């Protein structure tokens, strides 16, 4: 239900608002009052001009010589001038109420020398005022505001040629090409559209935002991948920020504080835009390949607010798959000295390479993404009661029951649909009933998700059907899970695998279901018996992935047979803050070159241990402020947050539960943040620390993540071997910086190739109480502690090779005396990015 609260208008609320109004005004505007008089006679001077220096904000004194200036657009001083008197300038304290009386001295008539000098670019003086007034013109200055927003997103197929339409593949659905729009530069076919209507509320102190979605309507293909793409592409472009993050890249705003270092500006016109006299400035990037815009903007001559802007990404920008990006925004003065965005149009032209069937000939298959947003019903500086803003979620869905009816949209759309847009809903519904069309969608979904969907069952993942390792030999695996058509609240999954060398079956079965979709409560239970690679990071290729088998730098012989019973419960208290409770019982059996050996003191002998059995209860807490997600039925994709993501993992060994043998406690803390650094690119930082209490055998210690493949793993030490380092306390940090072509863009050859630079540094320090842990189990040759000092590696790489490949040169800085290690390595990675 939508939370409703009346505005503060009556009774005690009105009294409080009246009492607070002067203080609110003081906090938001600069108010100056005073009297202008003759310094000699003391007589007040009427009709004298008083204004802010370097501004058009001014006023005249009344018959009694009194004046009032009250504005958001104050500068640091005022100037008063009158015929027959010397001009006078006085300092001002901005954002305060103050009284400044001005006494003018009579002027003595004298002729002065007139000096004529060449002036600067006339656009620069306007730009300086735009930059100076950015904090005032940005709507975040307001104490509170609210408005109604209408968003329409459309996804189109473009570059549709006759050859493309005649392909055998499309014959069963050829009717869709009857709706091609040829009015644009490229003929296009709309295939997806969504509309939404919402109310947005903002309060400055304490800062709080809330969006209530009143209605939404979707036509087209809905899945996590499409939704994630839409989430990345369609974001608000706030030109008052110095850098605009688009496609994950940092574009310099045309009105950035240091914009003159990136753009050429020209003043080309002035005219009335509505009721506002405006200057027209054009702008273009100074250098090819820089992430900057080309376009024009109209600037109001009094407030120096942006009235209208049209901008596009320069064709030379270092971007992949983007043929064009255009944005057009209009701002209006909805209240005196309050400028708000009222129209926002955005178009993205993407392309991929497709085979035409002709020899050595490829064509570009393109897609349009369009967003149209309009805003109205503005309410300024009328905050609602505190209770209205309470609640952890910024976005609340409170759909109007009548929004399913077309009459609702006809009455509430800000902009009426064209006939072409109306046809989208009918056309997509029709296509969904055609078997061949559904087959196309199934193929695309299989490639993206790894699963082939057939009725109530998804089969896969396909990349694990076959793999190879020295322990199992040739491994074959078949897996399946129930699909959303079976049940949107309950999912079962399992697989069976067989190795031709060990001649053993491996298998897993389990399921999960929603206890409640409110606050995302999921309960799961699983059983598994399978081979695992302990010490492998969560981002590495799965041990049974065919690529993991094919691109190994050394044989995979340090494997473990794991039998596991697991029950877990996930609860999201509010968006970005969640807990996961887990109880698991595991039996570990060594395979390959691993063995479990214990030294028995009396009599002194080596004892082989056949298995390790342990029971564990864990609590994982994760908090990412303002994190946004796109959710499927059970799985979801994070769209990230500009704030650090914090994670705390607590685990407790439960001895005597079943045949569990070990009592221990473990604490691990993790921090992740991605930083946008403007023209310097972007950086991501992972920092982690942990500690174990209790005497444990080596498979239960902290095994630092190594990598024995030629494929680069972001979350592993890429020159470290599996099981090479063990700890019971540690701290580690990964820092990765992407320069986005900062240096290569200045080299003509590299600029054409659009290569980009990346550097990485990784280090871990830790310790291991050998005396305590060796009583439980001996370490094998090739296993070490970090007691001598930290382990570190650094790398320098080139990414965006052929738009998909990254190559890193990695240097191992410490522990190079260990056998079978190398101080230098090359690693590859597939990395598709804009």
């Amino acid at each position: 239900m939508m939370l409703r609260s009346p505005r503060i208008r009556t009774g005690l609320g009105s009294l409080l608002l009246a009492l607070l109004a002067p203080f609110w005004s003081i906090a938001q505007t600069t108010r100056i009052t005073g009297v202008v008089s003759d310094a000699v006679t003391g007589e007040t001077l009427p009709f004298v001009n008083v204004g802010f220096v370097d501004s058009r904000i001014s006023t005249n004194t009344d018959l009694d010589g009194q004046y009032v200036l009250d504005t958001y657009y104050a500068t640091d001083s005022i100037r008063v001038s009158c015929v027959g008197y010397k001009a006078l300038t006085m300092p001002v304290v901005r954002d305060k109420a103050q009284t400044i009386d001005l006494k003018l001295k009579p002027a003595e008539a004298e002729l002065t020398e007139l000096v004529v000098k060449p002036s600067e670019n006339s656009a620069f003086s306007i730009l300086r005022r735009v930059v100076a007034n950015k904090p005032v013109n940005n709507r975040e200055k307001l104490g509170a505001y609210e408005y109604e927003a209408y968003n329409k997103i459309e996804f189109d197929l473009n570059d549709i040629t006759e050859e493309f339409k005649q392909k055998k593949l499309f014959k069963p659905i050829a009717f869709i090409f009857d709706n091609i729009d040829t009015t644009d530069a490229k003929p296009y076919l709309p295939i997806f559209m969504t509309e939404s209507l919402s109310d947005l509320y903002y309060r400055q102190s304490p800062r709080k935002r809330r969006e209530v979605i009143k209605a939404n309507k979707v036509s087209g293909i809905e899945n996590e991948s499409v939704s994630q793409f839409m989430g990345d592409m369609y974001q608000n472009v706030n030109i008052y920020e110095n850098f605009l993050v688009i496609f994950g890249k940092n574009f310099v705003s045309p009105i950035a504080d240091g914009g003159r270092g990136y753009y050429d500006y020209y003043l080309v016109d002035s005219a009335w835009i509505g009721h506002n006299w405006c200057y027209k400035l054009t702008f273009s990037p100074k250098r090819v390949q820089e992430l900057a815009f080309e376009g024009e903007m109209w600037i109001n001559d009094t407030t120096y607010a942006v009235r209208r802007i049209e901008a596009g990404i320069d064709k030379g920008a270092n971007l992949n798959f983007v043929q064009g990006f255009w944005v057009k925004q209009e701002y209006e003065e909805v209240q005196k000295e309050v400028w708000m965005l009222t129209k926002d149009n955005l178009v993205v032209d993407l392309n991929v390479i497709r085979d035409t069937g002709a020899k050595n000939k490829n064509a570009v298959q393109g897609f349009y993404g369009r967003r149209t947003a309009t805003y109205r019903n503005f309410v300024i500086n009328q905050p609602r009661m505190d209770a209205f803003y309470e609640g952890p979620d910024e976005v609340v869905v409170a759909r109007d029951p009548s929004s399913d009816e077309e009459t609702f949209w006809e009455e509430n759309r800000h902009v009426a649909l064209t006939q072409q847009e109306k046809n989208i809903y009918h056309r997509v519904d029709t296509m969904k009933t055609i078997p061949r069309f559904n087959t196309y969608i199934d193929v695309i979904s299989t490639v993206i998700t790894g699963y082939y969907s057939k009725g109530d069952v998804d089969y896969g993942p396909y990349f694990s059907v076959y793999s190879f390792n020295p322990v199992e030999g040739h491994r074959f695996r078949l897996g399946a899970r129930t699909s959303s058509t079976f049940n949107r609240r309950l999912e079962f999954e399992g697989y069976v695998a067989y190795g031709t060398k060990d001649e053993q079956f491996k298998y897993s079965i389990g399921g999960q279901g929603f206890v409640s979709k409110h606050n995302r409560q999921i309960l799961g239970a699983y059983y598994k018996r399978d081979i695992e690679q302990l010490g492998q990071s969560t981002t590495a290729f799965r041990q049974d992935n065919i690529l993991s088998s094919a691109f190994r730098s050394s044989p995979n012989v340090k494997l473990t047979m794991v039998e596991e019973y697991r029950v877990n419960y996930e609860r999201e208290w509010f968006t970005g803050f969640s807990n996961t409770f887990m109880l698991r019982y595991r039996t570990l059996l060594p395979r390959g070159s691993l063995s479990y050996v214990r030294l028995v003191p009396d009599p002194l002998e080596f004892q082989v241990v056949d298995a390790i059995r342990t029971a564990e209860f864990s609590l994982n807490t994760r908090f990412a402020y303002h994190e946004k997600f796109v959710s499927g039925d059970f799985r979801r994709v994070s769209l990230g947050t500009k704030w650090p993501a914090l994670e705390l993992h607590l685990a407790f060994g439960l001895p005597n539960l079943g045949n569990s043998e070990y009592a221990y406690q473990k604490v691990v803390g993790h921090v992740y943040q991605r930083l946008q650094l403007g023209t310097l690119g972007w950086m991501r930082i992972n920092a982690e620390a942990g500690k174990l209490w209790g005497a444990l055998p080596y498979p239960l210690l902290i095994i630092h993540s190594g990598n024995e493949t030629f494929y680069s793993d972001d979350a592993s030490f890429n020159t470290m071997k599996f099981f090479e380092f063990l700890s019971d306390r540690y701290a580690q940090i990964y820092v990765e910086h992407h320069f986005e072509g900062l240096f290569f863009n200045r080299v003509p050859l590299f600029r054409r190739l659009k290569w980009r630079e990346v550097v990485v540094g990784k280090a871990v320090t830790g310790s291991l109480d050998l005396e305590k842990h060796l009583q439980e189990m001996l370490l094998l040759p090739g296993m070490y502690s970090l007691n001598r000092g930290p382990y570190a590696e650094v790398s320098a790489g080139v990414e965006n090779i052929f738009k998909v490949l990254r190559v890193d040169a990695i240097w191992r800085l410490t522990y190079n005396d260990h056998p079978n290690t190398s101080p230098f390595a090359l690693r590859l990675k597939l990395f598709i990015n804009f």
Side-chain angles (χ1 to χ4, degrees):
M1 178 179 294
M2 178 177 172
L3 179 62
R4 299 182 182 275
S5 176
R7 296 191 184 93
I8 307 171
R9 293 183 184 276
T10 60
L12 180 61
S14 298
L15 177 61
L16 290 173
L17 187 60
L19 292 173
L20 291 173
F23 300 99
W24 185 275
S25 177
I26 291 171
Q28 298 296 313
T29 65
T30 302
R31 181 179 176 85
I32 306 172
T33 59
V35 176
V36 180
S37 59
D38 188 304
V40 177
T41 65
E43 294 181 1
T44 58
L45 301 176
F47 312 119
V48 175
N49 181 263
V50 182
F52 287 98
V53 174
D54 201 22
S55 169
R56 288 180 177 270
I57 306 297
S58 64
T59 188
N60 291 325
T61 58
D62 61 15
L63 293 173
D64 298 320
Q66 297 180 348
Y67 73 93
V68 177
L69 286 170
D70 190 357
T71 182
Y72 286 111
Y73 298 93
T75 62
D76 59 3
S77 55
I78 58 173
R79 182 180 179 85
V80 57
S81 59
C82 183
V83 176
Y85 291 89
K86 293 181 179 179
L88 177 63
T89 302
M90 296 291 288
V92 168
V93 179
R94 281 184 277 199
D95 299 328
K96 298 288 185 181
Q98 54 212 284
T99 299
I100 302 178
D101 292 329
L102 304 163
K103 299 182 182 297
L104 301 184
K105 296 179 179 179
E108 297 178 2
E110 68 177 72
L111 295 176
T112 58
E113 180 183 9
L114 177 64
V115 179
V116 179
K117 296 181 179 179
S119 64
E120 64 174 350
N121 184 333
S122 55
F124 291 166
S125 62
I126 298 173
L127 188 65
R128 276 197 302 270
R129 292 176 172 88
V130 173
V131 172
N133 284 331
K134 278 201 306 181
V136 181
N137 288 320
N138 197 337
R139 64 187 180 186
E140 304 303 307
K141 71 177 181 185
L142 299 171
Y145 61 77
E146 60 185 71
Y147 55 79
E148 182 183 72
Y150 168 74
N151 277 275
K152 179 177 64 181
I153 294 173
E154 183 180 318
F155 197 54
D156 310 321
L157 192 67
N158 66 28
D159 275 322
I160 301 174
T161 63
E162 283 300 319
E163 178 186 3
F164 182 77
K165 290 189 289 184
Q166 296 303 319
K167 283 184 176 291
K168 184 177 179 180
L169 182 70
F170 297 110
K171 284 186 178 180
I173 54 174
F175 71 91
I176 67 173
F177 297 118
D178 296 336
N179 296 278
I180 291 178
D181 192 319
T182 58
T183 59
D184 204 82
K186 299 178 182 180
Y188 65 91
L189 174 68
I191 57 174
F192 173 95
M193 192 169 75
T194 177
E195 299 176 273
S196 67
L197 193 69
S198 61
D199 291 326
L200 191 137
Y201 306 88
Y202 168 83
R203 181 185 64 190
Q204 186 188 72
S205 183
R207 187 176 295 268
K208 191 70 176 179
R209 296 177 188 271
R210 169 159 292 204
E211 183 177 12
V212 179
I213 299 177
K214 301 186 291 187
N216 66 288
K217 187 175 183 180
V218 179
S219 172
I221 306 162
E222 298 176 75
N223 62 49
E224 290 181 56
S225 299
V226 171
S227 297
Q228 181 188 19
F229 169 77
M230 292 299 181
D232 283 337
M233 182 177 65
Y234 294 106
Q235 45 198 309
N236 291 323
V237 179
N238 184 359
I239 59 167
Y240 285 100
E241 301 290 340
N242 286 328
F243 294 96
L244 312 177
V245 181
I246 303 171
F247 302 109
K249 311 296 182 185
N250 296 301
F251 284 79
V252 182
S253 169
I255 58 172
D257 292 350
R260 287 173 59 180
Y262 302 93
Y263 288 98
D264 291 321
Y265 298 92
Y266 297 98
L267 173 62
V268 296
D269 198 3
S270 59
W272 289 99
I273 304 294
H275 300 291
N276 307 110
W277 183 256
C278 299
Y279 302 113
K280 180 182 179 181
L281 273 64
T282 62
F283 49 88
S284 58
K286 278 183 175 292
R287 291 170 288 275
V288 179
Q289 294 283 33
E290 284 197 333
L291 298 180
F293 298 94
E294 183 174 12
E296 63 184 42
M297 55 186 170
W298 290 84
I299 306 298
N300 177 246
D301 79 325
T302 302
T303 63
Y304 294 95
V306 176
R307 176 65 174 83
R308 178 190 296 166
I309 183 168
E310 297 183 30
I313 293 176
D314 187 77
K315 291 182 179 180
N318 192 340
L319 278 176
N320 296 325
F321 316 116
V322 179
Q323 285 285 92
F325 176 96
W326 303 272
V327 61
K328 179 179 179 180
Q329 295 183 334
E330 291 192 20
Y331 295 79
E332 294 184 13
E333 195 172 19
V334 299
Q335 187 174 299
K336 186 177 184 297
E337 296 189 347
V338 175
W339 291 84
M340 300 291 285
L341 178 65
T342 56
K343 293 181 181 179
D344 189 5
N345 296 311
L346 185 150
V347 178
V348 180
D349 184 4
L350 301 175
N351 68 76
V352 294
I353 303 299
R354 59 176 169 85
D355 185 8
T356 64
K359 185 177 180 180
N360 298 325
K361 186 177 180 181
N362 289 329
V364 175
Q365 180 57 63
F367 301 89
Y368 278 140
R370 306 172 188 268
R371 174 178 181 262
T372 300
T374 55
Y375 311 96
R376 67 186 185 189
N377 301 338
F378 294 94
V379 179
I380 306 299
N381 285 342
Q382 295 185 34
R384 297 187 174 228
M385 298 176 68
D386 289 344
F388 178 84
Y389 300 99
E390 291 177 357
D393 294 326
E394 282 195 331
V395 180
V396 178
V397 178
R399 294 184 73 246
D400 190 315
S402 63
S403 63
D404 292 331
E405 303 296 330
E406 181 56 31
T407 54
F408 172 90
W409 290 98
E410 291 176 357
E411 294 173 358
N412 290 278
R413 279 190 188 100
H414 295 191
V415 181
L417 295 183
T418 64
Q419 187 59 46
Q420 178 83 330
E421 291 168 335
K422 292 178 182 179
N423 292 339
I424 295 177
Y425 290 112
H426 173 71
R427 180 168 60 252
V428 173
D429 289 341
T430 302
M431 286 193 296
K432 286 182 177 179
T433 65
I434 300 174
R436 181 67 65 88
F437 175 78
N438 291 325
T439 300
Y440 302 153
I441 301 306
D442 289 341
V443 172
I444 295 171
S445 179
T446 300
V447 173
I448 295 173
T449 67
Y451 285 84
Y452 173 71
S453 184
K454 186 69 174 178
D456 292 341
V457 181
D458 295 336
Y459 298 94
Y462 62 82
F463 46 76
S464 294
V465 170
Y466 171 78
S467 60
F468 173 85
N469 64 71
V471 174
E472 296 178 276
H474 299 283
R475 174 186 166 106
F476 300 92
R477 181 185 187 274
L478 294 176
R481 68 187 183 193
T482 57
S483 66
S484 58
T485 58
F486 169 76
N487 196 305
R488 288 185 175 272
R489 299 181 64 91
L490 186 64
E491 177 189 75
F492 296 103
E493 60 182 318
Y495 66 84
V496 61
Y498 181 77
T500 58
K501 185 175 182 178
D502 65 358
E503 298 182 341
Q504 289 187 0
F505 281 98
K506 297 89 181 176
Y507 38 84
S508 174
I509 190 169
Q512 60 181 340
F514 280 98
V515 178
S516 171
K517 288 204 171 185
H518 177 67
N519 285 341
R520 192 177 172 84
Q521 300 180 55
I522 300 177
L523 180 64
Y526 297 88
Y527 170 77
K528 178 182 71 172
R529 180 181 171 84
D530 199 357
I531 294 289
E532 283 189 17
Q533 175 66 69
L534 301 184
Q536 187 176 53
S537 79
T538 56
T539 61
F541 278 138
R542 293 161 47 129
Q543 182 269 329
D544 60 355
N545 189 309
I546 181 59
L547 295 179
S548 179
S549 302
F551 295 101
R552 297 200 61 80
S553 59
S554 58
N556 191 11
V557 294
K558 300 175 184 177
L559 299 175
T560 303
M561 174 66 77
V562 178
E563 184 178 29
E564 178 182 271
Y565 300 85
R566 172 166 57 92
V567 177
N568 56 269
Y569 170 71
E570 177 186 350
R571 168 68 185 262
E572 185 173 58
W573 303 96
F574 55 85
T575 303
F577 181 65
S578 63
N579 286 124
T580 301
F581 304 85
M582 183 171 66
L583 177 65
R584 68 177 180 177
Y585 182 89
R586 293 197 302 167
T587 301
L588 309 180
L589 300 98
R591 292 291 186 268
S593 64
L594 295 184
S595 60
Y596 300 161
V597 180
R598 180 180 295 153
L599 183 62
V600 180
D602 189 18
L604 186 63
E605 63 179 0
F606 294 105
Q607 182 184 73
V608 176
V609 179
D610 63 341
I612 296 172
R613 296 173 179 84
T614 177
E616 179 183 278
F617 172 77
S618 65
L619 168 62
N620 197 77
T621 302
R622 187 176 187 279
F623 176 63
Y625 186 60
H626 284 182
E627 185 174 27
K628 293 179 173 60
F629 293 96
V630 173
S631 298
D633 291 316
F634 287 93
R635 293 155 189 86
R636 60 185 185 176
V637 176
S638 172
L639 300 181
T641 173
K642 67 178 181 179
W643 305 99
L646 310 175
E647 199 162 350
L648 179 65
H649 179 77
L650 307 175
F652 306 90
L654 306 175
N656 304 319
L657 178 61
N659 295 318
S660 176
E661 307 169 71
Y662 302 99
Y664 60 89
Q665 301 82 42
K666 180 165 70 173
V667 176
V668 176
H670 181 264
V671 179
Y672 167 81
Q673 180 156 32
R674 174 171 169 147
L675 300 172
Q676 298 289 349
L677 300 176
T679 55
L680 297 179
W682 60 275
M683 175 187 294
R684 58 182 176 184
I685 303 172
N686 276 284
E688 185 175 291
K691 180 175 172 60
L692 268 173
W693 291 267
L696 295 172
Y698 73 79
L700 301 184
L701 295 173
I702 295 165
I703 305 171
H704 297 291
S705 297
N707 182 16
E708 295 185 8
T709 71
F710 292 110
Y711 193 85
S712 178
D713 179 15
D714 293 340
S716 298
F717 293 96
N718 286 294
T719 56
M720 183 188 290
K721 298 292 185 180
F722 288 131
F723 284 97
E724 185 177 357
F725 290 100
L726 309 170
S727 298
D728 55 20
R729 68 179 70 189
Y730 74 102
Q732 67 184 32
I733 186 168
Y734 299 172
V735 179
E736 181 176 305
H737 187 86
H738 298 253
F739 287 100
E740 298 288 64
L742 178 66
F743 305 109
F744 285 168
N745 285 346
R746 287 159 173 77
V747 180
L749 174 61
F750 291 152
R751 184 167 63 228
R752 287 194 295 271
L753 294 172
K754 294 189 175 182
W755 287 1
R756 302 166 186 167
E757 320 85 345
V758 58
V759 294
V760 182
K762 300 180 180 181
V764 57
T765 184
S767 63
L768 183 65
D769 189 338
L770 291 169
E771 182 179 355
K772 178 174 65 176
H773 298 297
L774 290 179
Q775 294 176 8
E776 296 296 330
M777 187 168 290
L778 298 179
L779 301 185
L780 300 182
M783 295 183 180
Y784 306 91
S785 72
L786 290 165
N787 293 346
R788 280 171 46 191
Y791 174 92
E793 65 183 32
V794 296
S795 68
V798 177
E799 59 185 357
N800 207 43
I801 301 172
F802 307 120
K803 298 186 179 181
V804 297
L805 184 64
R806 169 176 158 183
V807 179
D808 286 276
I810 307 174
W811 290 268
R812 176 168 165 150
L813 303 182
T814 56
Y815 293 97
N816 286 314
D817 55 337
H818 287 185
N820 301 317
T821 61
S822 173
F824 177 78
L826 287 175
R827 294 290 183 265
L828 307 177
K829 183 179 181 180
L830 293 175
F831 184 63
I832 300 175
N833 190 21
F834 286 109

